[in-house]
């Protein structure tokens, strides 16, 4: 008999054993227990089953953060469904692609966007709504469905879209085994227990907020202060009553600049975790000075979950993402030959283990292209191991910008800009930004007889691109720098505009 325990099984076990234990601490001072959350999961499961959800069916969600959204995630797993959360910033046009590709049985949207989505989903997709005030059609069922579809480690649990550096977005299919194994590794590595009180201020449509922060809490029987979004005032207020914070580097840059954060305020905290984007060594040091705590930086990716982490008890090194997590193999290889490098040289980072996803949804060729013959997955990140086995990320082979922890793929923006009549060609780059780490800048060449104007260009892409992807500045140049092969030299452009936002006079 299998001993596999899925994230859902683990949560339901806590709900059975300690139904009154608190899971959610909400900003208005109310709480929701494990038992009450399980009931909500079973009501939503009844609704989804009535909508026709069968094992393997996708359930898509684009809603604001609420406890019921977590119940929806768990209800989908209960039915053997595949959970597909979408960034709330995506425009209707962006969502169209995901719906067309993943063909969900159910789409759950906000009440405000119901009419829009009813108009754009195929007849085979049922549209449900979910608000943040306990409202929405999803919550209307009074029936209770407790029938749990047994999860196997290899069965798909979720699809998370990660935009491609070329072509269309790819849906990374994560299995129950991926989610559970990563949780097990992190629980042990970070000493996460039922006594923990997490400050949860991340969005729940990415692995950081959902499969790290939420899953760790659900599977340990811990509780979380569940905030709608990052809010420095609320976090400062909660720190004395909490033990753990998980965030992207922007959280720590902001908190390090906040005089209310002191070692005294943070005396009860035991762990500050940072990830999803590079944490500058200087910010690591500044936060320690401010709070008396050394941030624990870890490294992960949608396709792989968490890969490496600085140790809980050993040395946490600024500028390093730490050591491979238990059960996960990480190697650095020569980017030309693919040969493993052992002498601390810089190369491509590759990962193998139970955390690595099963493939891209309906894209067998793209999946095959990202895996080596011996099963290692190519992350597209570039790094090196030092003599003590600590990994540092020094760059990326993939053309991607990470703005405040959200990934932006330049090709998507370039295609839209190139279609504008005043633009002959464009190159989109990421430049350093004091708050967001990196931000998006477009460099364009004018079409003959035209003069591109920044607000016009931004306006032209605005209704097609989520706000966080829109360029924060546009620069017009005579020609894009190219190498002898004719390839645009983005590194040269990044150098040229490196101080666009760090120079305080021009800071936006
Ligand atoms: C918000 N805005 C952003 C932005 N977030 N612009 C660029 N980049 C971002 N990340 C814009 C909004 O559209 C809005 O624009 C304005 O900023 C204010 O919005 P806000 O919601 O009030 O912003 P703020 O609270 O400041 O949010 C910043 C943030 C947030 C950093 C707190 O983006 C965030 O929580 N990021 C976390 C992302 C995350 O979870 N990543 C994990 C990916 S998983 P306007 O102009 O309309 O006012 C992954 C793997 C791994 O990477 O290893 O974890
Ligand atoms: P995503 O595709 O959204 O999951 O983003 C994953 C990418 O974020 C990784 O491939 C890295 O490039 C980056 N990333 C995650 N954590 C870190 C970190 N601690 N330091 C640097 N980059 C990181």
């Amino acid at each position: 008999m299998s001993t596999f325990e899925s994230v859902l099984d683990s949560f339901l076990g806590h709900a059975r054993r300690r139904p009154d234990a608190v899971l959610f601490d909400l900003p208005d001072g109310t709480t929701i227990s494990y038992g009450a959350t399980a009931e909500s999961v079973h009501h939503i499961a009844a609704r989804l089953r009535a909508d026709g959800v069968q094992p393997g069916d996708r359930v898509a969600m684009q809603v604001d953060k609420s406890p019921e959204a977590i119940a929806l995630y768990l209800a989908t797993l209960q039915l053997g469904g595949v959970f597909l959360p979408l960034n709330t910033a995506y425009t209707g046009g962006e969502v169209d692609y995901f719906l067309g590709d993943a063909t969900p049985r159910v789409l759950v949207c906000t009440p405000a966007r119901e009419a829009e989505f009813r108009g754009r989903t195929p007849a085979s997709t049922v549209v449900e709504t979910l608000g943040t005030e306990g409202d929405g059609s999803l919550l209307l069922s009074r029936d209770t469905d407790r029938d749990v579809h047994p999860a196997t480690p290899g069965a798909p649990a979720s699809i998370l879209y990660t935009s491609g550096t070329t072509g269309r977005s790819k849906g990374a299919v994560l299995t129950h085994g991926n989610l559970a194994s990563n949780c097990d590794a992190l629980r042990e590595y970070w000493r996460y227990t039922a006594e923990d009180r997490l400050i949860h201020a991340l969005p729940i449509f990415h692995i950081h907020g959902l499969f790290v922060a939420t899953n760790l809490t659900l599977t340990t029987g811990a509780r979380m202060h569940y905030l709608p979004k990052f809010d420095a005032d609320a976090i400062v207020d909660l720190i004395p009553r909490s033990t753990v914070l998980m965030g992207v580097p922007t959280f720590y840059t902001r908190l390090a600049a906040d005089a209310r954060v002191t070692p005294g305020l943070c005396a009860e905290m035991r762990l500050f975790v940072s990830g999803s984007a590079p944490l500058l060594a200087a910010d690591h040091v500044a936060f320690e000075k401010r709070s008396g705590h050394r941030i624990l930086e870890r490294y992960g990716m949608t396709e792989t979950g968490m890969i490496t982490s600085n140790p809980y008890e050993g040395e946490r090194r600024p500028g390093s993402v730490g050591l491979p997590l238990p059960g996960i193999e990480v190697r650095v290889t020569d980017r030309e030959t693919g040969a493993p490098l052992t002498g601390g040289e810089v190369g491509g980072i590759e990962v193998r283990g139970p955390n690595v996803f099963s493939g891209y949804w309906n894209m067998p060729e793209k999946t095959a292209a990202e895996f080596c013959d011996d099963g290692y997955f190519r992350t597209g990140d570039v790094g090196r191991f030092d003599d003590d086995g600590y990994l540092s990320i020094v760059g990326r082979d993939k053309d991607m910008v990470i703005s405040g922890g959200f990934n932006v793929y330049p090709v998507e923006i370039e295609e839209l800009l190139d279609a504008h009549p005043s633009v002959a060609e464009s190159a989109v780059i990421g430049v350093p930004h004091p708050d967001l780490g990196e931000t998006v800048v477009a460099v364009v060449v004018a079409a003959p007889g035209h003069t591109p104007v920044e607000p016009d260009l931004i306006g032209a892409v605005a209704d097609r691109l989520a706000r966080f992807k829109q360029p924060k500045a546009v620069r017009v140049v005579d020609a894009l720098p190219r190498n002898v092969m004719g390839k645009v030299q983005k590194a040269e452009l990044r150098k040229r505009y490196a101080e666009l936002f760090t120079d305080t006079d021009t800071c936006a």
Side-chain angles (χ1 to χ4, degrees):
M1 200 175 118
S2 161
T3 55
F4 176 69
E5 186 175 55
S6 70
V7 168
L8 176 71
D9 295 336
S10 181
F11 158 75
L12 289 176
H14 290 296
R16 240 183 341 262
R17 288 188 298 275
R18 296 165 52 236
D20 297 331
V22 171
L23 169 54
F24 295 101
D25 281 293
L26 299 173
D28 65 2
T30 59
T31 59
I32 305 176
S33 67
Y34 274 79
T37 304
E39 283 310 293
S40 166
V41 170
H42 298 320
H43 284 308
I44 294 175
R47 180 82 182 184
L48 293 179
R49 201 185 292 279
D51 287 338
V53 173
Q54 304 273 343
D57 281 350
R58 278 75 56 210
V59 174
M61 162 186 108
Q62 193 196 32
V63 299
D64 295 316
K65 195 173 167 183
S66 69
E68 292 80 11
I70 298 296
L72 167 60
Y73 156 56
L74 294 169
T76 303
L77 299 185
Q78 183 190 322
L79 299 187
V82 182
F83 188 59
L84 167 47
L86 293 167
N87 193 326
T88 44
Y90 288 147
T91 62
E94 288 170 307
V95 172
D96 280 348
Y97 170 76
F98 304 119
L99 299 184
D101 192 52
T103 57
R105 182 80 192 105
V106 175
L107 165 71
V108 184
C109 66
T110 60
R113 291 182 78 177
E114 181 181 4
E116 176 197 341
F117 280 114
R118 282 198 187 284
R120 59 188 337 138
T121 43
S124 55
T125 300
V126 178
V127 177
E128 295 277 14
T129 59
L130 177 62
T132 53
E133 305 292 328
D135 54 320
S137 62
L138 187 72
L139 305 179
L140 290 179
S141 179
R142 288 298 97 218
D143 295 338
T144 304
D145 187 328
R146 298 181 199 280
D147 197 5
V148 177
H149 182 81
T152 55
S158 180
I159 296 179
L160 291 185
Y161 276 89
T162 159
S163 292
T165 46
T166 55
R168 306 310 312 243
S169 256
K170 299 172 287 188
V173 181
L174 292 160
T175 64
H176 286 274
N178 295 148
L179 304 188
S181 73
N182 218 223
C183 249
D184 292 346
L186 293 175
R187 197 176 318 112
E188 181 189 324
Y189 213 67
W190 294 349
R191 313 281 192 271
Y192 208 82
T193 74
E195 302 305 310
D196 274 312
R197 288 169 172 240
L198 170 76
I199 302 177
H200 192 308
L202 287 161
I204 54 167
F205 42 73
H206 280 309
I207 53 163
H208 197 164
L210 190 59
F211 298 150
V212 180
T214 303
N215 276 358
L216 260 187
T217 303
L218 295 173
T219 59
T220 1
R223 62 200 277 176
M224 53 187 171
H225 292 290
Y226 193 68
L227 298 175
K229 63 193 283 272
F230 177 88
D231 173 346
D233 294 342
I235 291 176
V236 166
D237 182 47
L238 289 172
I239 280 178
R241 290 177 276 141
S242 307
T243 61
V244 181
L245 173 68
M246 295 182 197
V248 295
T250 300
F251 282 27
Y252 295 104
T253 316
R254 291 181 185 179
L255 293 174
D258 194 319
R260 295 171 296 177
V261 178
T262 60
L265 184 85
C266 301
E268 297 300 314
M269 288 290 287
R270 67 172 192 88
L271 185 59
F272 290 92
V273 178
S274 176
S276 308
L279 176 71
L280 295 180
D283 291 337
H284 193 292
V285 172
F287 187 78
E288 182 177 7
K289 221 165 144 195
R290 179 68 76 189
S291 67
H293 285 262
R294 278 176 97 81
I295 295 171
L296 184 153
E297 186 176 7
R298 75 359 170 233
Y299 158 56
M301 192 178 172
T302 300
E303 288 90 333
T304 63
M306 299 303 102
I307 302 169
T308 66
S309 169
N310 273 275
Y312 186 71
E313 262 141 27
E315 189 194 351
R316 299 180 193 168
R317 292 193 187 162
S320 164
V321 293
L323 308 154
L325 284 164
I328 297 176
E329 297 170 280
V330 183
R331 70 183 180 192
V332 169
T333 61
D334 186 296
R335 286 143 82 199
E336 299 296 317
T337 65
L341 300 170
T342 51
E345 302 97 318
V346 168
I349 300 172
E350 298 178 354
V351 190
R352 186 166 70 176
N355 55 313
V356 177
F357 76 134
S358 60
Y360 293 112
W361 175 254
N362 280 345
M363 290 184 175
E365 278 117 40
K366 284 208 167 145
T367 303
E370 304 298 337
F371 280 90
C372 307
D373 292 343
D374 56 2
Y376 275 86
F377 171 70
R378 300 187 184 93
T379 62
D381 293 312
V382 176
R384 64 179 290 273
F385 277 112
D386 72 10
D387 293 343
D388 303 326
Y390 279 69
L391 182 70
S392 297
I393 297 175
V394 300
R396 291 174 214 136
D397 271 337
K398 45 196 173 191
D399 189 11
M400 175 177 107
V401 181
I402 309 183
S403 166
F406 287 142
N407 293 0
V408 180
Y409 290 84
V411 64
E412 197 181 341
I413 305 157
E414 288 161 0
E415 278 172 9
L416 292 177
L417 290 173
D418 291 351
H420 193 272
S422 72
V423 174
E425 59 174 351
S426 64
V428 169
I429 53 168
V431 303
H433 188 278
D435 182 44
L436 298 169
E438 282 183 312
T439 195
V440 180
V441 169
V443 185
V444 303
V445 176
H450 287 83
T451 310
V453 181
E454 179 173 303
D456 290 353
L457 292 184
I458 294 181
V461 299
D463 58 348
R464 313 271 295 275
L465 284 179
R467 189 82 185 91
F468 69 90
K469 299 181 190 171
Q470 295 172 22
K472 292 271 193 288
V474 178
R475 290 292 175 270
V476 183
V477 295
D478 291 338
L480 296 173
R482 292 181 185 278
N483 66 12
V484 284
M485 309 291 290
K487 189 170 181 304
V488 175
Q489 291 182 294
K490 290 201 169 178
E492 161 61 27
L493 288 174
R494 281 193 287 269
K495 218 184 299 162
R496 198 182 295 173
Y497 297 108
E499 285 170 16
L500 204 52
F501 290 88
T502 50
D503 176 346
T504 45
D505 291 342
T506 55
C507 197

